[in-house]
Amino acid sequence: MNEFFPNIPEIRFEGKDSKNPLAFKYYDAKKVIMGKTMEEHLNFAMAWWHNLCANGVDMFGAGTADKSFGAIPGTMEHAKAKVDAGIEFMKKLGIKYYCFHDADICPEDPEDINETNRRLDEITDYILEKTKGTDIKCLWATCNMFSNPRFMNGAASSNSADVWCFAAAQVKKGLENAVKLGAKGYVFWGGREGYETLLNTDMKLEQENIATLFSLARDYGRKIGFTGDFYIEPKPKEPMKHQYDFDAATAIGFLRKNGLDKDFRMNIEANHATLAGHTFQHELRVCAVEDMMGSVDANMGDTLLGWDTDQFPTNVYDTTMAMYEILKAGGLRGGLNFDSKNRRPSNTPEDMFYAFISGMDAFALGLIKAAEIIEDGRIDAFVKDRYSSYSDGIGKKIRDRSITLEEAAAHAAELKKPASPGSGRQEYLETVVNNILFS
Ligand code: XLS
Ligand code: CA
Ligand code: CA
């Protein structure tokens, strides 16, 4: 078989003192942390679209990176070359999962969905054949229901019933492919499910139609043997001015209202959290509180830019806080999918590897430090103590919901004035984190 990355060796763990750019400094796959190997905690995945398809094209200029892999783009030969290159790439990094949209793995026939589906059959057969005997699996599958002009007014939220049916047809095929490839999850990201202006929008109808498609997808998936999780990936905007799955709290409310919360969970993307005005940690905490933790799209944004930059994550403070939430919630059912792309000028094959090494090491270090914060115990002990007024007496009655409004008022009257609720000690807690991070 052709080697696509002949200058890149297998990437190994060499430890933090290594200066080898093609080695892991922190990611040691088999190292055990809090009872599981790093590899089991992190379940890293490659996003087909950014790594094998995106060539650096942006709104102001053409692509800068060559992702032809020796074939003519737009052909089935190219689709197959991407499979071969992707497998070599994952093997060299020790990544066991991939995520893809239908449109990433083979070219769509613009005139006939039947031909598109035939191509999907051919390429999924090829993926199965090439991954056979390896430990490479599909983390999650999804459908691109945002690029084609037919989705300009939305997919499941389109004003056109014909377009709604095309979205449904794609989802049906997407679920069949997910089952065929043994995917652990199926993602809905509603890039066009929202609006540009309320002047032309029937929000109630659109949201009801989205719920109908989700319900039918759930039922069909279960019927054909999909046992994994369905995920919603919240994002507040971009490309639409407003997207219905604004953030985790909004999406979870929608699922509960429509009876979908037993089958669906969240796929939280770091950069989408910040676009919604939240931290990555906040979105993960909401999932933990609501028992909706599913999978993560690992990347980061740029605080100086207001858009979805999908940068490889290197901010260890953020990866630590994310892993802290994930560990405390009992881990991820999915994994960490690098929905991240090289910066446009980082355009060589080596850069593709440097990017993954940077992201994998940032999360490995985050995992190590999050475990240290939990084992250190100062943060957890502080929080427990901060709420200790609820462990007995009147506080316990509040927790048990056995208090009446009259009783609470009588308690206040007896006290005349409450004692200070105590310092929040934010600065102290931040030094505890820094002390652990930099020791
Ligand atoms: C775009 C999203 C998209 C989803 C999958 O912002 O991140 O890539 O993850 O459709
Ligand atoms: Ca994403
Ligand atoms: Ca994104």
Side-chain angles (χ1 to χ4, degrees):
M1 193 171 87
N2 251 346
E3 233 197 321
F4 293 89
F5 306 100
N7 303 325
I8 309 288
E10 224 173 84
I11 310 299
R12 297 178 195 283
F13 170 73
E14 290 186 2
K16 69 179 169 51
D17 296 325
S18 167
K19 300 276 186 283
N20 176 2
L22 290 170
F24 295 119
K25 315 298 180 296
Y26 301 99
Y27 181 59
D28 185 2
K30 300 292 175 211
K31 184 186 163 89
V32 175
I33 294 189
M34 292 179 78
K36 281 201 291 192
T37 62
M38 279 194 161
E39 179 176 64
E40 289 163 343
H41 277 291
L42 299 166
N43 281 339
F44 288 127
M46 175 192 76
W48 213 272
W49 55 102
H50 282 319
N51 204 47
L52 303 174
C53 308
N55 63 1
V57 66
D58 71 10
M59 275 147 98
F60 298 91
T64 55
D66 180 4
K67 298 274 174 87
S68 64
F69 303 113
I72 299 167
T75 62
M76 285 305 279
E77 287 63 43
H78 183 228
K80 288 179 185 172
K82 287 196 290 183
V83 175
D84 295 334
I87 292 173
E88 183 188 329
F89 185 85
M90 286 185 270
K91 277 189 181 163
K92 286 188 164 166
L93 281 159
I95 288 186
K96 302 210 165 138
Y97 291 99
Y98 61 88
C99 299
F100 70 99
H101 301 83
D102 47 2
D104 304 332
I105 56 171
C106 68
E108 191 178 357
D109 184 320
E111 302 305 327
D112 187 357
I113 189 173
N114 300 297
E115 169 58 14
T116 304
N117 286 344
R118 193 206 59 73
R119 292 178 190 174
L120 282 166
D121 290 341
E122 185 182 334
I123 199 73
T124 47
D125 283 347
Y126 191 75
I127 294 174
L128 273 185
E129 180 195 322
K130 292 295 174 151
T131 51
K132 204 167 151 205
T134 72
D135 43 17
I136 293 174
K137 299 172 282 285
C138 179
L139 186 67
W140 54 255
T142 188
C143 289
N144 180 328
M145 305 199 296
F146 44 90
S147 294
N148 193 296
R150 67 175 168 267
F151 297 125
M152 69 179 193
N153 294 343
S157 64
S158 176
N159 59 307
S160 156
D162 289 345
V163 171
W164 192 97
C165 289
F166 263 76
Q170 264 183 262
V171 169
K172 176 174 177 288
K173 190 71 184 168
L175 287 165
E176 289 161 5
N177 288 334
V179 171
K180 180 171 173 182
L181 297 171
K184 279 162 76 103
Y186 182 87
V187 164
F188 283 98
W189 170 63
R192 303 277 176 197
E193 316 292 33
Y195 60 82
E196 292 299 328
T197 171
L198 285 173
L199 290 173
N200 65 12
T201 300
D202 186 338
M203 186 193 276
K204 186 168 186 292
L205 178 147
E206 291 196 358
Q207 292 198 323
E208 286 170 359
N209 283 355
I210 294 171
T212 301
L213 183 60
F214 285 179
S215 304
L216 294 178
R218 186 257 325 263
D219 296 346
Y220 184 72
R222 297 305 181 219
K223 189 170 91 182
I224 63 168
F226 176 65
T227 53
D229 290 323
F230 289 89
Y231 297 124
I232 290 195
E233 183 181 322
K235 187 176 183 183
K237 58 185 168 188
E238 197 199 5
M240 295 307 262
K241 175 193 168 75
H242 178 93
Q243 282 166 215
Y244 294 133
D245 298 326
F246 195 91
D247 59 3
T250 312
I252 293 167
F254 181 84
L255 291 176
R256 295 233 163 98
K257 177 182 170 192
N258 292 293
L260 293 160
D261 50 306
K262 300 283 174 288
D263 298 272
F264 281 67
R265 290 175 168 269
M266 294 295 118
N267 181 43
I268 296 298
E269 179 173 320
N271 203 166
H272 298 182
T274 46
L275 286 175
H278 303 309
T279 59
F280 184 20
Q281 184 183 9
H282 167 96
E283 287 294 81
L284 292 169
R285 179 71 65 92
V286 170
C287 292
V289 167
E290 301 293 340
D291 189 18
M292 278 284 166
M293 189 77 87
S295 205
V296 163
D297 271 9
N299 62 19
M300 67 178 187
D302 185 316
T303 46
L304 300 181
L305 301 174
W307 62 89
D308 194 12
T309 60
D310 284 351
Q311 286 174 239
F312 275 87
T314 53
N315 183 324
V316 175
Y317 201 99
D318 287 347
T319 58
T320 300
M321 288 307 154
M323 289 314 300
Y324 174 76
E325 295 301 327
I326 290 167
L327 286 177
K328 287 186 63 102
L332 288 173
R333 293 160 68 101
L336 293 167
N337 167 45
F338 287 109
D339 192 353
S340 311
K341 60 185 177 208
N342 283 95
R343 295 307 84 192
R344 191 165 179 264
S346 303
N347 62 346
T348 71
E350 290 76 34
D351 288 306
M352 293 165 67
F353 283 86
Y354 294 153
F356 270 77
I357 292 168
S358 76
M360 291 166 79
D361 265 344
F363 266 96
L365 185 52
L367 169 62
I368 293 168
K369 292 298 169 184
E372 280 177 30
I373 292 175
I374 292 169
E375 276 156 6
D376 171 274
R378 277 176 288 174
I379 303 273
D380 285 341
F382 180 84
V383 175
K384 186 159 184 253
D385 184 59
R386 187 162 183 247
Y387 295 92
S388 59
S389 69
Y390 290 98
S391 32
D392 47 34
I394 198 90
K396 185 156 189 314
K397 285 188 117 183
I398 296 171
R399 295 297 297 143
D400 295 344
R401 295 209 168 171
S402 62
I403 195 165
T404 63
L405 213 53
E406 292 90 327
E407 241 180 308
H411 181 73
E414 196 186 324
L415 289 176
K416 294 201 178 98
K417 176 182 168 192
S420 162
S423 167
R425 298 261 188 265
Q426 181 171 336
E427 298 77 4
Y428 156 70
L429 296 167
E430 285 165 349
T431 63
V432 170
V433 172
N434 277 353
N435 173 235
I436 294 170
L437 278 183
F438 297 104
S439 64

